[in-house]
């Protein structure tokens, strides 16, 4: 941590910074510049110390953090890539993983048809929402318990693990009986009560990036899961909010190499929510694989025109099959299999 | 709702749009433009219909919503300003309301000293966090239950209502015994489980704006509280995330006249979290009052240099007293009292 | 264009909207909704009419544009893909085009070495800046005239067309003698004097996206070039400014399929400026090709450690050669050649 | 400047950083942390050195700038507030300055009527555009030369200095005969050719903030004007681009105290372009004065319904007079006069 003093800050103000640092068990080195004094605070845990502790001291101009605030999610903590295993599926290995299915579970017929398409096309995990967080209270909120039961039945019939969103810590224990992977939605990435709860349950979690959260905040949120002992964490990039309005969100494709550089956790990409329109999904899916993602989370509906939620961003079965075929040579081009 | 067909879309595609609209009980009017057909869907509840229902139909180029997606929070629903009453404090009336206190409750001495400063300076509600949502799991998370007890004791000693953040629906019932106003933090604005729960408890709620949520999304989130029957909703602008990095967030001062135009709900402003630095707080507080806010939510700590959380954005007692004095003539200039 | 009247707007206010529309030669259709009147204005040129013309009328709540504000750059105007030809290079055809070279021309030795690497690796256009727009007036501003002369000499020696940035309309005529393609930088995308001038010179132009401009504004800026008669316009996505700070800009990968959907113009991607760090460039380059870009604009320096400008985002010769090799199978996977 | 080495970077990589620093005339201090080495580079001109010079070296993890990249615009360079004088008007003193008038000069009658309203209401500078940078080439581009002549005639008739936008360096010398203040528009804040030219002419310049530029970039752009010897620089905040779409731009009210903290230059605020709707302008104008701005730049049109450009954001004469009256007590409340 680097503490920059104001120009002309007197010696006793510098001393106060030094004293506070020593109180916190840090080593200190003074840099006497031409114009101002810069105090370097050294120690392996400076990433967890609030910069405010020093910023509030008289004579301090700015405080800059050098160590990252996340620890367990960092590649410095764990050099090799983590692999999360769900039944016989491995996320983060050489094989790419496609999770697909409808935004919301609507009926047994719909989910069964979707599962068939998903499995036939080569995807290995079925997605479907039972609890839907909706912007308006007057919108369809999901089938809830009935949706979970359909997911459970379908996963048994098709031998496909299922992923579904959990929106309330109170539901998590109960849901663990019905589904294989918990999805934490973008709006809940910083719902620390929920993260702490899921950290204790130790079921695989897909942690979607908050649509206005930095990569650093995302990895620090992952530390909530990891610090409770749950190591089965999969990250999911799903687009960030920007000024551009031709897409629902802006897929932050750069997050893929950045995450691979700074973290050991596997990373999948959701092109559907980023794009907001089915016609843009294939290009984003291909880009994600080319950039190094470990898999995809895609919305596919047996009949998008009849979808209760997000129909416009869902692929049709034929478009989904075409995309799966188109992805194979790209996977091969980057040394992966699909 | 306006459905724009693609150039050259055949008649049967237009018919399909018309049929779907009629199925949903909407009136339809066709606009046969030179280049394309535009279908207007008319009805009082088009604000709640997903645009996707039409966007997915073949031949549709775009769908534009005319009616707003929120209803109960809108000024169309309620013409006159709503006033929320907490004991003898009214938020949304002619009198401005200042809520102030430390970011986190740290000790009885700290809270007592803060309450004294708050009350003497003319603020009428005490703030203090017992449950602190922190970016990192390794940061101080608040005194929790012990903090609530200190808040309860202090409100009785000073006759000041208290506001504190609730981060988990499971805690809400219990917390209602200790505090007067629930604060929903920025990260939880779209935590619909929490909103639904607070809508049922019918205790006043300060709903902070999600730092990357539009005003429309914010008012639609307020509908979650209102639709459960809780009419005691106060909005709080606290800054949005932008590219500018000299402040922690960018206070969206324009949200004040926009909210006043489109909603009947009272609105306070939190200049502390927006600025991220105490030196900028007074200017933002003055601007908020000049722009028409109904009050302020300000961080003040008896000794910011010793604060466990957010010390750098907390005013000292003397700075707070000065600000309260400086705000009076501005309040008068816009026809309010403080 | 859709004009939404306020709830309860009297008939004479609606009439005023209708009268103004007729004055502008537009057809009008009234939609009498349950709550409010919506006026549809029909005509092939409503994309060019300021929405303000109607928004200012009494009783108008909002005005929504249906037609896009750009025309000549739109796919509606020209169905088939445009191809821009520079000597024997075609941009926008089946063959992908890589333009590469140093950020700034520094010396004859540097440019010659760069040109050799570029050509050997299979790139077909040499980039290099002679006029450098720098954030600070105290930074290196480029070799200017001497840089142009080096570019001219090098293109002749190597038989490589060159692209360089033009920052001032006054320089354009003169520069046309030295270089093959003009680059309009991100900061000048809305410098309409410059665009109008380049529209008249009819030399190929690479129009970089303004880092905070929407795709609609970008295509409308292209209309400035096209409307002067210059059809040799190549778009270049180079990242947009967002809140994410781990990269210099956020590459808007979605802009590739969006541009391909709405425009006939060829599109290349600059992963170097988007990433801001060489280690991220290969992933972004691969993603761009997978998503359907027509080519790349890449910074490569013979010795990045000695670069006067942007060394950290420049690939070394060996990294560049590796990337070119890695791109070939991805190009093939999407049906292109490199 | 702080250079953070990678964990485990060998000694010779640290040595290379030290050597480069010494070559650039900087002092160096090594901070041997527990996990990594941090090199502090000391010297008064480190603000102008590209961080890339060090970031490219092997073993370097990150480079953080401590000194600001701007110099002449900084309060460190000049402690007291700068005041810019135009005839008998002073911008930056105790007296607030309101500049008002139509977006575009449309006719002699329109400008004369506007000037009368402006003067009567107590504003002291007349604004009006002759060259209009428009998003589309098919929109009205201003009266150009004829507009300048009307501005010249009107300023003489009313004794009001005039401000107008310059969009092309080639026009600047010529325009200096007709107008008193040059306005650099938001889209041209980083048009360094234009800034350099205006730095040489030494006519007062209002430098509007680029709508996606940081405050640091804005002050560094001011250095382009100042470094050419033109000290008559006035900054103008006019809103930044964010995700919020209920206003045209988001007025960055925080920029007022930030600029006052870091720079000596006077600052005015343009609430009209920020808001994009006349109904929001008064609240933003009041907020700007309360926050400490030195003045306002406001669009006022004799008849907004007939405006050729930006009518919806222009105040009517009666609304403008009302605003001027409402601003007086706010000015008094912050110790200023109007």
């Amino acid at each position: 941590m680097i503490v920059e003093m104001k120009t002309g800050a007197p010696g006793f103000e510098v001393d106060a910074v030094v004293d506070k640092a020593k109180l916190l068990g840090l080593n200190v080195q003074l840099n006497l510049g031409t114009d101002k004094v810069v105090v370097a605070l050294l120690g392996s845990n400076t990433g967890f110390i609030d910069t405010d502790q020093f910023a509030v001291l008289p004579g301090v101009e700015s405080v800059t953090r050098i160590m990252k605030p996340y620890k367990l999610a960092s590649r410095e903590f764990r050099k090799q890539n983590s692999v999360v295993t769900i039944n016989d599926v491995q996320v983060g290995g050489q094989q790419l993983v496609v999770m697909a299915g409808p935004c919301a579970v609507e009926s047994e017929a719909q989910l069964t048809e979707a599962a068939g398409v998903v499995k036939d096309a080569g995807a290995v995990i079925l997605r479907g929402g039972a609890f839907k967080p909706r912007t308006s209270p007057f919108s369809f909120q999901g089938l809830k318990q009935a949706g979970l039961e359909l997911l459970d039945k379908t996963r048994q019939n098709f031998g496909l693990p299922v992923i579904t969103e959990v929106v309330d810590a109170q539901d998590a224990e109960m849901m663990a009986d019905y589904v294989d992977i918990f999805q934490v939605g973008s709006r809940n990435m910083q719902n620390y009560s929920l993260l702490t709860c899921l950290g204790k349950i130790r079921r695989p979690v897909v942690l979607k990036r908050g649509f206005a959260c930095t990569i650093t905040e995302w990895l620090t949120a992952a530390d909530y899961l990891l610090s409770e002992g749950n190591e089965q964490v999969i990250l999911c990039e799903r687009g960030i909010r920007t000024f551009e309005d031709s897409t629902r969100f802006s897929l932050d494709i750069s997050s893929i190499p950045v995450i691979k550089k700074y973290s050991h956790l596997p990373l999948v990409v959701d092109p559907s929510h980023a794009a907001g329109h089915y016609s843009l999904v294939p290009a984003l899916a291909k880009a994600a694989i080319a950039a190094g993602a470990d898999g995809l989370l895609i919305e596919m509906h047996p009949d998008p025109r009849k979808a209760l939620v997000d129909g416009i961003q869902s692929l049709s079965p034929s478009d989904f099959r075409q995309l799966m075929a188109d992805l194979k040579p790209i996977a091969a081009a980057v040394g992966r299999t699909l």
Side-chain angles (χ1 to χ4, degrees), chain A:
Chain A
M1 196 174 285
I2 303 296
V3 180
E4 173 201 7
M5 303 301 295
K6 286 182 178 149
T7 305
F12 66 84
E13 291 182 345
V14 179
D15 292 347
V17 170
V18 172
D19 291 349
K20 180 141 203 177
K22 289 185 173 163
L23 201 70
L24 291 164
L26 303 172
N27 289 318
V28 173
Q29 187 154 347
L30 290 186
N31 300 279
L32 306 171
T34 320
D35 291 349
K36 47 184 65 172
V37 174
V38 175
V39 187
L41 309 181
L42 309 168
S44 57
N45 67 337
T46 55
F48 310 139
I49 294 176
D50 276 344
T51 55
D52 274 16
Q53 302 253 6
F54 292 94
V56 294
L57 298 180
V60 171
E61 174 76 28
S62 73
V63 183
T64 306
R65 194 192 287 286
I66 298 290
M67 301 291 281
K68 296 278 197 296
Y70 52 87
K71 179 177 173 187
L72 306 176
S74 75
R75 200 170 274 285
E76 295 194 342
F77 181 77
R78 192 166 190 273
K79 287 274 176 295
Q80 69 274 39
N81 290 336
S82 288
V83 174
V84 174
T85 303
I86 306 111
N87 301 350
D88 57 348
V89 176
Q90 292 195 316
V91 185
Q94 197 266 346
Q95 176 89 17
L96 297 176
V97 171
V98 176
M99 313 175 183
C103 184
V105 176
E106 297 170 9
S107 70
E108 181 161 1
Q110 175 239 25
L111 195 62
T112 302
E113 192 176 346
V117 174
V118 162
K119 190 164 188 176
D120 286 353
V124 293
I125 293 174
L126 177 67
R127 63 154 290 160
F131 295 88
K132 299 301 305 171
R134 304 302 302 281
T135 306
S136 163
F138 308 111
S139 299
F140 173 63
Q141 309 274 323
L143 293 183
K144 303 181 178 174
Q145 180 71 25
L148 293 176
E149 286 164 15
L150 289 177
L151 285 167
D152 185 26
K153 188 172 176 184
T154 309
R155 68 173 171 167
Q156 291 178 28
N157 288 345
F158 285 84
L160 283 172
V162 302
I163 174 173
T164 203
E165 179 163 357
V166 53
V167 298
D168 193 325
Q170 288 172 272
D171 302 330
E173 285 283 0
M174 174 274 289
M175 290 173 71
D177 290 340
Y178 298 93
V179 299
D180 302 279
I181 312 174
F182 285 124
Q183 175 185 312
V184 175
S186 183
R187 285 161 188 76
N188 279 316
M189 191 202 90
Q190 295 188 311
N191 181 339
Y192 302 121
S193 295
L194 181 61
L195 297 183
T196 302
C197 165
L198 297 179
K200 289 175 178 146
I201 292 184
R202 305 203 182 171
R203 182 61 57 102
V205 176
V206 166
L207 180 63
K208 287 195 153 187
R209 177 179 184 181
F211 59 74
C213 292
T214 63
I215 292 172
T216 295
E217 290 169 337
W218 189 15
L219 291 174
T220 311
D223 264 9
Y224 267 91
L225 294 162
L226 296 164
S227 66
E228 295 290 342
N230 187 345
E231 299 195 346
Q232 298 174 285
V233 178
I234 301 164
L235 302 170
C236 178
E237 161 69 32
R238 46 78 71 209
I240 58 174
R241 183 159 274 181
T242 70
F243 62 83
E244 174 58 43
D245 58 5
S246 68
T247 45
R248 193 166 166 193
F249 292 93
S250 297
L251 184 71
D252 185 12
I253 193 80
S254 312
S255 71
I256 301 171
V258 170
I259 286 287
K260 289 295 169 191
K261 186 173 178 180
Y262 292 115
S263 178
H264 56 85
L265 296 172
L267 170 68
V268 299
V269 168
D270 173 353
S272 307
H273 281 85
H277 199 279
Y278 71 93
S279 65
L280 309 173
V281 168
L284 300 188
K286 292 175 199 172
I289 297 307
D294 296 306
L296 297 167
L297 181 62
I298 296 182
E299 297 205 346
M300 189 280 303
H301 192 283
D303 186 351
R305 278 173 284 182
K306 294 185 178 152
L308 294 181
V309 185
D310 282 351
I312 194 63
Q313 69 193 35
S314 296
L315 293 184
S316 67
S318 63
D319 286 347
F320 180 67
R321 281 187 282 260
Q322 181 65 52
L323 175 59
M324 290 296 286
D326 291 347
L327 288 173
K328 279 185 206 298
I330 296 176
V334 294
R336 309 289 282 264
T337 50
L338 178 67

